[in-house]
Structures are given as structure tokens and as C-alpha cells.
Amino acid sequence: QVQLVESGGGWVRPGGSLRLSCAASGRILSRYYMGWFRQAPGKEREFVAEVTSGGYIYYADSVKGRFTVSKDNGKNTLYLQMDKLAPEDSAVYSCKMRQDVEPMDYWGKGTLVTVSA
């Protein structure tokens, strides 16, 4: 089993910044994929950014140029630096992990980001 714990959410004014973290612990056996997803009230969960097990990085078009994802393999932690935040970025942000050796997705419980004046 793997546990994921997100942190760093909160309230920020439009144009502000937040840095989210997702710490993985437990039975981490191999290289792994980690990604950020978000879900706003009344909307479907959507992809935000990811780091593949091979180290490739991808972003949703809506966050390109504003968000930066990174991973610290030594700490098994995924980060999301969010700059130039807008009200439409308000959502619960969750991270997902999948190890190369097993076809199972692990999810954290999420951290709430609220962007408002």
C-alpha cells in the first residue's frame, strides 16, 4: 500500500501564488508516475500536470506558463508551484501515483485551493 498526503492549499487573492506538496509513503517499489488533478464544485475532475516515471513533464493547456510541477525522488514528493492564480483555479487538488510494477492508482485526499478577492 502507498499513502499520499497533499498539503499547501489555502486562500489566495487573484494573481497570487501557492505551492502544493504531495508526499508518498509506504510500499514504494519502483519508478513511478505522479500527477496533479483538480476538481471544482459541480465539475468533473481534470488533469493539471504530471511527471511520468521516465521524467517527462506535461501540463494542461489551462495552466501552462503559470504552474510548474516537479518531483523529488529522494523524498518521494511531488510539488506544484502555482503562480498567477485565477478564480477559475479554485478547486480541490489531488495527486495520483502509479508505480511501474503494479497496475494500481493511488490517490490522496486532496487539498483545497480558493482564489478570490
Side-chain angles (χ1 to χ4, degrees), residues 74-109:
K75 295 182 178 180
N76 293 322
T77 299
L78 184 73
Y79 301 97
L80 185 68
Q81 176 66 41
M82 305 187 295
D83 298 318
K84 301 177 183 178
L85 283 161
E88 52 266 34
D89 295 316
S90 297
V92 174
Y93 285 70
S94 302
C95 67
K96 182 175 89 170
M97 178 182 181
R98 173 183 280 232
Q99 301 192 74
D100 286 356
V101 296
E102 62 175 352
M104 179 178 294
D105 291 336
Y106 296 97
W107 288 91
K109 293 184 177 180

Side-chain angles (χ1 to χ4, degrees), residues 9 19 26 41 56 58 70 91 107 114:
R19 188 188 192 215
Y56 293 97
Y58 300 97
S70 60
W107 288 91
T114 303

Side-chain angles (χ1 to χ4, degrees), residues 1 3 7 21 26 31 37 39-41 46 55 57-59 64 69 82 84 89 94 96 100-101 106 110-111 114:
Q1 286 289 333
Q3 295 78 41
S7 61
S21 299
R31 298 196 317 170
F37 295 76
Q39 186 169 21
E46 64 176 1
I57 291 176
Y58 300 97
Y59 296 96
K64 280 180 183 176
V69 65
M82 305 187 295
K84 301 177 183 178
D89 295 316
S94 302
K96 182 175 89 170
D100 286 356
V101 296
Y106 296 97
T111 185
T114 303

